[in-house]
Amino acid sequence: MQTLVYVFIIINLALALFEDPAVVPLPIWATSTIEIICLSAFTVRMVHYAKVIPRDKFWKDPKNICIIVIVTLSFIDLTIYGALKATGYFAIRWSRVLRPLLLVNVTEGRQLRRAFRSIRNALPQISYVFLLFMFSVLVFSLMALKLFGKRGLLTIDGSPYFTDYLDIVFDLYVLVTTANSPDVMMPAYNYSVFFTIFFILYIVINTYTFMSFFLAVVYNNYKKYLKEEVRQLVKARRFKMCRAFSLLRETCGEGGEPVVTQAKWNHLVKLVKPNISIAHQELLWSVLDDQNKGHIGKFAFVQLADLLSIQVITVKSQPHPIQICFPSMYNSSVSRFIRNVVHHRMFVYVYDLIILVNAVFIGLDEENPVVSNAEWDFVLYAGGYTSRQILDIVFILRVLRLIRLVDSIKRFRAIINTLIKIGPTILTFSQLIVVVYYIFAMVGMELFKGKVQFFEPNSTSPDQEYCGNPLLKGTTFAKLNYCKNNFNNVVSSFIVLLELTVVNQCGFTAVTHVSARIFFVLFHIVVVIIIINIFVAFILEAFLVEYTVDKSDLQTSLEKKIEELELNVQQYVPFGPPIKLFSIASFLIKGLLLFYFPGSRTVDGLLQRMFETDLRTEDFNEEEEPENISFSNPAFDSV
Amino acid sequence: MQTLVYVFIIINLALALFEDPAVVPLPIWATSTIEIICLSAFTVRMVHYAKVIPRDKFWKDPKNICIIVIVTLSFIDLTIYGALKATGYFAIRWSRVLRPLLLVNVTEGRQLRRAFRSIRNALPQISYVFLLFMFSVLVFSLMALKLFGKRGLLTIDGSPYFTDYLDIVFDLYVLVTTANSPDVMMPAYNYSVFFTIFFILYIVINTYTFMSFFLAVVYNNYKKYLKEEVRQLVKARRFKMCRAFSLLRETCGEGGEPVVTQAKWNHLVKLVKPNISIAHQELLWSVLDDQNKGHIGKFAFVQLADLLSIQVITVKSQPHPIQICFPSMYNSSVSRFIRNVVHHRMFVYVYDLIILVNAVFIGLDEENPVVSNAEWDFVLYAGGYTSRQILDIVFILRVLRLIRLVDSIKRFRAIINTLIKIGPTILTFSQLIVVVYYIFAMVGMELFKGKVQFFEPNSTSPDQEYCGNPLLKGTTFAKLNYCKNNFNNVVSSFIVLLELTVVNQCGFTAVTHVSARIFFVLFHIVVVIIIINIFVAFILEAFLVEYTVDKSDLQTSLEKKIEELELNVQQYVPFGPPIKLFSIASFLIKGLLLFYFPGSRTVDGLLQRMFETDLRTEDFNEEEEPENISFSNPAFDSV
């Protein structure tokens, strides 16, 4: 069901590919029908929720209100648009801007909502810096007007240089993005070398200092908010565990101290994790009940959740299949020799060397028959070279093998670990980016569609030279063959927005009115100043946590217990790349148990441990319910 | 003397303006004579040091060795160059690269050496990230070669696209600086929209993630190093204070607790700060000796340095001069009314409004006679408009008045405070930048001088169109009129390097061999990846400290004492912009004393308080001498 909701959302978003201006044009009735189906699906879901959830809770949830409003507005827009188009009037599908908000407001979009909340919380502080930054830009523009306005300088296009105040403000704003450096400086520099002082001052103050301020504000808020989220999470979990304890407790005979017996605890663990092995379960119990009393107190009981979150892998001490089928062959001297060779450190090095040599051959020109033949030795695919596309994929896969080489070098592990941890979060960020890009693409398409045209290279149209727009005649935009950077369909809109994100190639402001500049500045504020800075802040934090939090800080009482019981016998594990990552505990002779320690923890997990000291004071307060545990819509995975 | 040393260093550095390739050409004998004078001055200084400082200490100091080597090499180079030039041979002044190192190695360049040490300490960690980053670039280049190499695509210049491996590596490296975005993508994008996925992946991984890693590593090391420096500093100061205490102490009659009497303490304070007022001195004593015993123990004594570092301003409660000369006029009802108006809050607002209106008039076109007349009302200069230059300066000064407006808004204070605190450190950074720029400029001039020529706009030379280099015919570099971006003299070299720092405008790689690329990549690594990141890290830290360290964390025992004694009577001070910054204590009826609290503290001071908890444990250890207090050259200011 969860997948189905996302399928409908994606279909709804993908409609932009087929609606005018379309990549693949479809008639209006077809796209409208698909949209109605999607909207109906969302309506059905809302009705279902309204039946399941208490009425007052349902209407208090802003998510539900949002979805109802979006669906209603979409239906209204669709009706108006259909009616206007049928009677031949001009119409705009304005409700398309709302579509990505569905992605944010479905119950499953928790991570995405958290990202938006984090942005909303940072907004007031960002706005103070932004006001001061804009003040600085305005003052510098005023100075520029006074310094350069009267000198009759000309830009490279032959237009007057720095004579209009608003133009100067825009040019200097763009200089902050470094997109028009050094073009904006050249006329002044050509006139006198001393004018560069103005630009140096501007760059130091606005491009470097203020952009760093933005990063600092975003970083600061991101961290603060993350800490608060982790605090709430841990608090809620502890509260629930305390409640569970008060339900399960029995009063011990002698002292009156409430405890939970092993039998009850075992029953609970079986209910929570049905697939847990008995060995694993006994291991966990022995960690909690280290004095072998047969029962545990409240403090040990509450740690159950943390204990279960440590990944434990059971390695069955099974013999190799060849050993079972052909014992004599497996134990022969040849076999033993091969096994020794494979387990030897040199084997790893030789293997890495082969990968490296392979990479060199890939780099060399394959037109050369000798190289081409040599390459065959490395390609293990039987199908052979059938088409260009398959070949490309195979080559890329082969090149990626090189990553294995890097991973075997210890020094790089922290960096690679950070890269791996960033992975899941990049998904959230890409959703965030898609939501923002989609909205800007919809607006951009309405404003700028058809202004710039792309012609195939073999086209003979005379318009080709200036992208089909006489205004672009002789501009750098046309000369550099940027014609495909236009807002003529969703895909090219997304790519223009990507280019605007990386370096603000705002040539398209030449072809249209002042709205393009506002569009550009707004996009820069939202995407570069806010979202990209959040991304950078996240990477900074993840990297610093990975680098600075060493193991001794992390070893909570739980891990210490495991070590005290000598279950974490890392030192006895023989050298070998696949085993290095784990520490093995041979426990109760029932098999091998691996305690899977840091290195695979998520950033959130690490942060929880970092902030845990702050949480100690408010420890086991079962009466007081955490503030913001509100009734949320049931997620499908929790049913 | 200190100034004299810097004058000689600056003259020595400035020689590059007059040496070939020169801004103002001077004959070789003139520049050589000046250089010999400078070098002799440095030699004399070294000889002086060698006489003053014990022999083994002198030869163990790397600073002295460096200066001796630099001076010797410069003399040798000067001799060889003179001899070769006299006999008409080709010669290179290679020792010019060493000149900026004098700036680093003079005794007074403490801050600069600290910056270099901080870079050196961060280098190993940066190099690991850099290796991985280069690995990623190389793998992506390999993929690009396989994906695009065989498709026969052409760049905008008509040259084959992505066919040579090393060219691809360079192009993708430049993409990290965003300088050639989206140009480098356009041919692939025009061919198929799916190829943009390759570039999106590349930008996410290398431009965003790896560049953030660099920032994270630099930030991490910067902070660690700063903390260590502060720790050493505080330790050294405490050690010295303990030594002073053991010299000045007297054993108290009854208990045997060693103490320092008020008389001795007063004598000491008068010696350390001869200009201190008696009121200030008594205030400090009363803070330390809060039980009025007449003597203080070791703990209170050690705090003297911290106490003296808190800025205290004595405001004499002097009557207004008019009140003395014309008491009747001062006390008249008109005068009282004016004083009330000026002290009223609205007056400030009205004044701010006038500044704002003034700014609007400056922004409006002054060609308009009405506006021009109105402007006169704001310009209070009597000399009138004599020349264009004076006018520019006056206008800029007038615009800067607007900053007053911003400073009166409370929310912006933290940001402005950070900006002010960054001020002194920017001096260190600019020295660092000058050292690095100078070295690169010297190398760049030898490699690229005369490759690109600038022609005055009214020149009729046919070479003007392609900057005097046929290789640039038809390139974007010439079309955008970048001809003045060349290495033909020191000033233009510095400006090219500045442009390379902001956005890597590397058009000059077209006119010369592969060395230009190596030069460009090296410069990018040194300046953008390392120095600019240190600058950003510094701003991040300064801003976060200003934002997150609130007063309650900072109030050390010292400040608490002052508050306990009710000397910090901020709440009784009437509202008023110039007084808001301070907190006033009327003390002993001898005048007004202002305790100048946070907001004016340096970043180092704040950091000291942040790290002070770490220092508590090793508190008053007078036996153990701090490790790295070595014998340093006497600075002129300490004589």
Side-chain angles (χ1 to χ4, degrees):
Chain A
M1 290 294 275
Q2 199 174 347
T3 318
L4 201 65
V5 170
Y6 272 100
V7 167
F8 275 120
I9 290 174
I10 289 165
I11 290 173
N12 195 27
L13 287 175
L15 276 176
L17 290 168
F18 310 107
E19 288 165 344
D20 179 57
V23 182
V24 183
L26 280 186
I28 291 178
W29 63 261
T31 57
S32 302
T33 315
I34 297 169
E35 185 156 13
I36 288 167
I37 293 169
C38 290
L39 292 174
S40 308
F42 301 134
T43 314
V44 167
R45 189 160 184 261
M46 274 299 113
V47 171
H48 173 227
Y49 271 158
K51 296 239 169 198
V52 172
I53 300 168
R55 181 177 290 262
D56 57 326
K57 298 272 184 192
F58 178 81
W59 288 106
K60 265 184 195 159
D61 193 334
K63 294 196 291 290
N64 300 337
I65 310 284
C66 272
I67 292 180
I68 291 168
V69 169
I70 292 166
V71 170
T72 316
L73 286 177
S74 299
F75 270 124
I76 293 171
D77 181 35
L78 207 57
T79 320
I80 297 172
Y81 184 77
L84 283 173
K85 276 285 166 189
T87 52
Y89 282 97
F90 172 77
I92 292 176
R93 277 302 318 274
W94 48 266
S95 73
R96 301 202 294 174
V97 171
L98 303 172
R99 280 179 194 162
L101 298 180
L102 284 169
L103 199 62
V104 183
N105 285 301
V106 290
T107 314
E108 289 74 19
R110 210 166 281 121
Q111 294 290 329
L112 199 55
R113 275 198 302 281
R114 190 196 284 188
F116 270 104
R117 268 204 304 276
S118 139
I119 290 173
R120 200 184 52 203
N121 289 346
L123 271 188
Q125 300 230 9
I126 290 175
S127 65
Y128 293 128
V129 181
F130 188 77
L131 281 175
L132 210 55
F133 161 70
M134 274 318 294
F135 171 75
S136 163
V137 171
L138 290 175
V139 169
F140 268 101
S141 304
L142 211 50
M143 287 193 208
L145 182 67
K146 288 290 142 183
L147 274 177
F148 309 119
K150 293 290 174 60
R151 292 176 202 279
L153 301 179
L154 295 177
T155 64
I156 188 70
D157 303 336
S159 52
Y161 177 69
F162 275 5
T163 51
D164 183 68
Y165 186 63
L166 289 178
D167 283 348
I168 299 173
V169 173
F170 184 71
D171 280 345
L172 288 184
Y173 188 93
V174 174
L175 181 58
V176 164
T177 73
T178 73
N180 60 357
S181 165
D183 308 74
V184 73
M185 191 177 85
M186 287 319 284
Y189 176 35
N190 287 337
Y191 182 82
S192 164
V193 78
F194 293 104
F195 285 136
T196 50
I197 296 167
F198 172 84
F199 290 97
I200 292 171
L201 263 180
Y202 183 85
I203 287 167
V204 169
I205 294 178
N206 290 315
T207 310
Y208 289 122
T209 310
F210 269 105
M211 290 300 125
S212 303
F213 280 180
F214 283 122
L215 179 59
V217 166
V218 169
Y219 179 65
N220 191 23
N221 278 278
Y222 174 81
K223 214 169 162 177
K224 207 166 71 187
Y225 191 73
L226 199 67
K227 196 169 167 174
E228 185 53 33
E229 292 250 331
V230 170
R231 209 181 66 84
Q232 291 292 348
L233 210 84
V234 174
K235 211 172 162 184
R237 185 162 55 189
R238 285 207 183 139
F239 172 76
K240 283 179 181 166
M241 288 306 289
C242 285
R243 283 278 289 272
F245 182 78
S246 67
L247 290 174
L248 295 170
R249 69 180 167 190
E250 296 168 26
T251 312
C252 224
E254 63 288 14
E257 179 93 346
V259 293
V260 167
T261 59
Q262 187 171 6
K264 269 204 177 164
W265 188 88
N266 279 345
H267 190 62
L268 178 72
V269 170
K270 265 288 166 204
L271 282 174
V272 175
K273 279 206 166 180
N275 297 324
I276 200 165
S277 71
I278 292 176
H280 186 177
Q281 197 175 328
E282 280 179 35
L283 170 66
L284 294 183
W285 178 261
S286 80
V287 167
L288 291 177
D289 181 24
D290 53 355
Q291 276 141 33
N292 252 320
K293 288 191 212 157
H295 54 76
I296 48 171
K298 192 174 176 179
F299 184 80
F301 181 80
V302 168
Q303 288 181 317
L304 178 62
D306 294 327
L307 198 57
L308 285 175
S309 74
I310 296 182
Q311 208 178 336
V312 174
I313 297 165
T314 315
V315 176
K316 301 247 166 56
S317 52
Q318 245 181 6
H320 198 274
I322 297 176
Q323 197 178 358
I324 300 167
C325 305
F326 313 99
S328 61
M329 191 182 124
Y330 186 77
N331 290 318
S332 70
S333 58
V334 178
S335 159
R336 248 180 298 166
F337 175 73
I338 291 170
R339 270 186 285 152
N340 283 340
V341 167
V342 171
H343 285 127
H344 197 268
R345 193 181 291 217
M346 277 310 291
F347 184 78
V348 180
Y349 294 150
V350 169
Y351 194 77
D352 290 346
L353 189 75
I354 292 170
I355 293 178
L356 209 66
V357 171
N358 182 9
V360 172
F361 275 113
I362 294 174
L364 292 174
D365 196 351
E366 69 194 30
E367 303 286 303
N368 187 327
V370 181
V371 177
S372 205
N373 285 336
E375 279 213 338
W376 272 101
D377 301 338
F378 291 103
V379 178
L380 298 169
Y381 283 76
Y385 293 14
T386 52
S387 86
R388 192 80 225 172
Q389 260 69 26
I390 292 172
L391 201 61
D392 288 341
I393 294 161
V394 171
F395 274 126
I396 288 172
L397 288 176
R398 284 168 65 201
V399 172
L400 284 177
R401 271 198 243 157
L402 281 175
I403 292 172
R404 212 194 144 284
L405 199 77
V406 172
D407 197 53
S408 70
I409 299 165
K410 210 177 163 187
R411 290 278 184 185
F412 296 138
R413 186 79 25 93
I415 304 163
I416 300 249
N417 274 347
T418 318
L419 272 174
I420 292 166
K421 274 181 196 167
I422 290 165
T425 318
I426 280 188
L427 273 182
T428 309
F429 276 107
S430 52
Q431 281 185 336
L432 196 67
I433 286 279
V434 165
V435 168
V436 176
Y437 272 29
Y438 200 92
I439 294 172
F440 275 97
M442 291 301 135
V443 176
M445 271 157 48
E446 294 299 342
L447 289 173
F448 312 121
K449 72 180 166 199
K451 301 264 180 194
V452 175
Q453 240 122 58
F454 174 68
F455 297 88
E456 289 298 326
N458 46 9
S459 144
T460 52
S461 163
D463 294 353
Q464 191 185 347
E465 231 172 76
Y466 43 86
C467 305
N469 190 323
L471 279 170
L472 285 173
K473 225 175 237 173
T475 60
T476 337
F477 186 91
K479 271 183 206 151
L480 288 174
N481 199 14
Y482 283 179
C483 306
K484 213 173 176 178
N485 294 332
N486 56 38
F487 276 99
N488 295 353
N489 62 54
V490 184
V491 175
S492 62
S493 302
F494 265 64
I495 288 166
V496 174
L497 293 176
L498 175 81
E499 288 169 6
L500 283 175
T501 309
V502 177
V503 65
N504 293 275
Q505 186 273 322
C506 46
F508 69 92
T509 57
V511 291
T512 174
H513 41 97
V514 75
S515 71
R517 292 185 173 192
I518 297 167
F519 180 84
F520 158 75
V521 171
L522 267 181
F523 183 79
H524 182 256
I525 294 168
V526 173
V527 175
V528 181
I529 291 185
I530 300 177
I531 296 181
I532 293 294
N533 269 339
I534 288 181
F535 184 66
V536 172
F538 172 76
I539 292 177
L540 272 179
E541 191 59 27
F543 193 82
L544 291 180
V545 166
E546 184 73 22
Y547 245 65
T548 55
V549 180
D550 47 313
K551 221 188 164 190
S552 63
D553 286 324
L554 276 176
Q555 283 181 328
T556 56
S557 56
L558 198 69
E559 289 182 358
K560 275 188 200 131
K561 265 190 201 168
I562 292 173
E563 285 201 349
E564 273 164 29
L565 288 169
E566 290 191 352
L567 298 172
N568 178 23
V569 282
Q570 197 163 12
Q571 60 271 32
Y572 304 126
V573 175
F575 175 85
I579 298 164
K580 261 194 300 182
L581 280 167
F582 314 115
S583 47
I584 292 179
S586 63
F587 183 69
L588 296 174
I589 331 170
K590 279 175 186 161
L592 281 167
L593 282 167
L594 293 166
F595 274 85
Y596 196 46
F597 266 13
S600 74
R601 277 213 196 92
T602 58
V603 176
D604 277 9
L606 276 179
L607 284 168
Q608 181 183 332
R609 274 149 198 276
M610 285 175 77
F611 302 144
E612 225 159 35
T613 44
D614 300 4
L615 292 160
R616 282 271 170 263
T617 48
E618 42 193 337
D619 243 339
F620 305 112
N621 222 335
E622 74 190 84
E623 318 321 329
E624 178 211 340
E625 188 160 352
E627 313 94 49
N628 70 349
I629 297 188
S630 60
F631 190 91
S632 62
N633 289 341
F636 287 116
D637 54 355
S638 70
V639 175
Chain B
M1 292 292 277
Q2 199 174 348
T3 318
L4 201 66
V5 170
Y6 272 101
V7 167
F8 276 119
I9 290 174
I10 289 165
I11 289 173
N12 196 26
L13 287 176
L15 277 177
L17 290 169
F18 311 106
E19 288 165 343
D20 180 58
V23 181
V24 183
L26 281 185
I28 292 177
W29 63 264
T31 57
S32 302
T33 315
I34 297 169
E35 185 156 14
I36 288 168
I37 294 169
C38 290
L39 293 174
S40 307
F42 300 134
T43 315
V44 168
R45 190 162 182 259
M46 274 300 113
V47 171
H48 174 228
Y49 272 159
K51 296 239 170 197
V52 174
I53 301 167
R55 181 177 290 264
D56 57 324
K57 297 273 184 189
F58 179 81
W59 289 108
K60 264 183 193 159
D61 193 333
K63 294 196 290 291
N64 300 336
I65 311 285
C66 271
I67 292 181
I68 291 168
V69 169
I70 293 165
V71 170
T72 316
L73 285 178
S74 299
F75 270 122
I76 293 171
D77 181 35
L78 206 58
T79 320
I80 296 172
Y81 184 77
L84 282 174
K85 276 285 165 189
T87 52
Y89 282 98
F90 173 77
I92 291 176
R93 278 301 318 272
W94 48 266
S95 72
R96 301 201 294 174
V97 170
L98 303 172
R99 280 179 193 162
L101 298 180
L102 284 170
L103 198 63
V104 183
N105 284 303
V106 289
T107 314
E108 289 75 20
R110 211 166 280 121
Q111 295 289 328
L112 199 55
R113 276 198 301 282
R114 191 197 282 187
F116 270 104
R117 268 204 303 276
S118 139
I119 291 172
R120 199 185 53 202
N121 289 348
L123 272 188
Q125 299 229 11
I126 291 176
S127 66
Y128 293 128
V129 180
F130 188 77
L131 281 175
L132 210 57
F133 161 69
M134 275 317 294
F135 172 76
S136 164
V137 171
L138 290 175
V139 169
F140 268 100
S141 303
L142 211 51
M143 286 193 206
L145 181 68
K146 287 291 141 186
L147 274 177
F148 308 120
K150 293 293 174 60
R151 289 174 205 281
L153 300 180
L154 295 177
T155 64
I156 188 71
D157 302 335
S159 51
Y161 177 71
F162 274 6
T163 50
D164 181 67
Y165 186 62
L166 289 179
D167 283 349
I168 300 174
V169 172
F170 184 71
D171 281 343
L172 289 183
Y173 188 92
V174 174
L175 182 57
V176 165
T177 74
T178 72
N180 59 358
S181 164
D183 308 73
V184 73
M185 191 178 85
M186 288 317 288
Y189 176 35
N190 287 338
Y191 183 83
S192 164
V193 78
F194 292 105
F195 284 135
T196 51
I197 295 166
F198 172 84
F199 290 97
I200 292 171
L201 263 181
Y202 183 85
I203 287 167
V204 168
I205 293 178
N206 289 316
T207 308
Y208 289 122
T209 310
F210 269 105
M211 291 298 125
S212 303
F213 280 0
F214 283 122
L215 179 60
V217 166
V218 169
Y219 180 64
N220 191 23
N221 278 278
Y222 175 80
K223 214 169 162 175
K224 208 166 68 186
Y225 190 72
L226 199 65
K227 196 169 166 174
E228 185 53 32
E229 291 251 331
V230 169
R231 210 180 65 84
Q232 291 293 348
L233 210 84
V234 173
K235 212 173 161 183
R237 187 164 49 193
R238 284 203 184 144
F239 171 75
K240 283 178 181 166
M241 288 306 290
C242 285
R243 283 279 289 272
F245 182 79
S246 66
L247 289 174
L248 296 170
R249 70 181 166 190
E250 296 165 27
T251 312
C252 223
E254 65 284 16
E257 179 94 348
V259 292
V260 167
T261 60
Q262 187 171 4
K264 269 202 179 168
W265 188 86
N266 279 343
H267 190 62
L268 178 72
V269 169
K270 266 287 167 203
L271 281 175
V272 174
K273 279 205 165 181
N275 298 323
I276 201 165
S277 72
I278 293 177
H280 186 177
Q281 199 175 326
E282 280 180 37
L283 169 67
L284 295 183
W285 178 261
S286 81
V287 166
L288 291 177
D289 181 24
D290 53 354
Q291 277 141 32
N292 251 321
K293 285 192 217 157
H295 54 75
I296 47 169
K298 192 173 176 179
F299 184 80
F301 181 81
V302 167
Q303 287 179 318
L304 177 63
D306 294 327
L307 198 58
L308 285 175
S309 75
I310 296 182
Q311 207 178 335
V312 174
I313 296 166
T314 315
V315 176
K316 301 246 164 59
S317 51
Q318 244 179 6
H320 198 273
I322 298 177
Q323 198 179 356
I324 299 167
C325 305
F326 312 100
S328 62
M329 191 183 126
Y330 186 78
N331 291 317
S332 69
S333 59
V334 178
S335 160
R336 248 179 299 166
F337 175 73
I338 291 170
R339 271 185 284 154
N340 284 338
V341 166
V342 170
H343 284 127
H344 197 268
R345 194 181 292 217
M346 277 309 292
F347 185 78
V348 180
Y349 294 149
V350 170
Y351 194 77
D352 290 346
L353 190 75
I354 292 170
I355 293 178
L356 209 66
V357 172
N358 183 10
V360 172
F361 275 114
I362 294 174
L364 292 175
D365 196 349
E366 67 194 33
E367 303 286 303
N368 189 325
V370 181
V371 176
S372 204
N373 285 335
E375 279 214 338
W376 272 100
D377 301 337
F378 290 103
V379 178
L380 297 169
Y381 282 77
Y385 293 13
T386 52
S387 85
R388 192 82 225 171
Q389 261 68 25
I390 292 172
L391 203 63
D392 290 341
I393 295 163
V394 172
F395 275 127
I396 288 171
L397 289 175
R398 284 168 64 201
V399 172
L400 285 177
R401 271 196 243 156
L402 281 174
I403 292 172
R404 217 196 141 282
L405 199 79
V406 172
D407 197 52
S408 70
I409 299 165
K410 209 176 163 187
R411 290 278 184 188
F412 296 137
R413 186 80 24 95
I415 303 162
I416 300 252
N417 275 346
T418 318
L419 271 174
I420 291 166
K421 275 183 197 167
I422 290 165
T425 318
I426 280 187
L427 273 181
T428 309
F429 277 108
S430 51
Q431 283 186 333
L432 196 67
I433 287 278
V434 165
V435 168
V436 176
Y437 272 30
Y438 200 92
I439 294 171
F440 274 97
M442 290 302 133
V443 176
M445 270 157 49
E446 293 300 341
L447 288 173
F448 313 122
K449 71 181 165 199
K451 301 263 181 195
V452 176
Q453 240 121 57
F454 175 67
F455 297 87
E456 289 299 326
N458 46 10
S459 143
T460 52
S461 164
D463 294 352
Q464 192 185 347
E465 230 172 79
Y466 43 86
C467 305
N469 191 323
L471 279 169
L472 285 173
K473 226 175 233 174
T475 59
T476 338
F477 185 91
K479 271 183 206 152
L480 289 175
N481 198 14
Y482 282 178
C483 307
K484 213 173 176 178
N485 294 331
N486 56 38
F487 275 98
N488 294 354
N489 62 53
V490 184
V491 176
S492 62
S493 302
F494 266 63
I495 289 166
V496 174
L497 294 177
L498 175 81
E499 289 168 8
L500 284 175
T501 309
V502 177
V503 65
N504 292 274
Q505 185 273 323
C506 46
F508 69 92
T509 57
V511 289
T512 174
H513 40 98
V514 77
S515 71
R517 293 186 173 189
I518 297 167
F519 181 85
F520 159 75
V521 170
L522 267 180
F523 183 80
H524 183 257
I525 294 168
V526 173
V527 175
V528 181
I529 291 184
I530 300 177
I531 296 180
I532 293 294
N533 270 340
I534 287 182
F535 184 65
V536 172
F538 172 77
I539 292 176
L540 273 180
E541 190 60 26
F543 193 82
L544 292 181
V545 166
E546 185 74 21
Y547 245 65
T548 54
V549 179
D550 48 312
K551 220 187 165 190
S552 64
D553 286 324
L554 275 177
Q555 282 179 328
T556 56
S557 56
L558 197 69
E559 289 183 359
K560 274 187 201 135
K561 265 191 203 167
I562 293 173
E563 285 201 349
E564 274 164 28
L565 288 169
E566 290 193 349
L567 298 173
N568 178 23
V569 284
Q570 197 162 15
Q571 60 270 30
Y572 304 127
V573 176
F575 174 86
I579 298 165
K580 260 194 301 184
L581 279 166
F582 314 114
S583 49
I584 292 182
S586 64
F587 182 71
L588 296 176
I589 330 169
K590 278 175 187 158
L592 282 167
L593 282 167
L594 294 165
F595 273 84
Y596 197 45
F597 266 11
S600 75
R601 279 214 196 91
T602 57
V603 175
D604 276 10
L606 278 178
L607 284 168
Q608 181 183 331
R609 273 147 199 279
M610 287 174 77
F611 302 145
E612 224 159 34
T613 43
D614 300 4
L615 291 160
R616 281 270 170 263
T617 47
E618 43 192 337
D619 244 341
F620 306 110
N621 225 333
E622 73 189 85
E623 316 321 328
E624 178 211 339
E625 189 162 352
E627 314 95 50
N628 68 350
I629 296 189
S630 59
F631 190 93
S632 61
N633 289 341
F636 287 115
D637 53 356
S638 71
V639 175

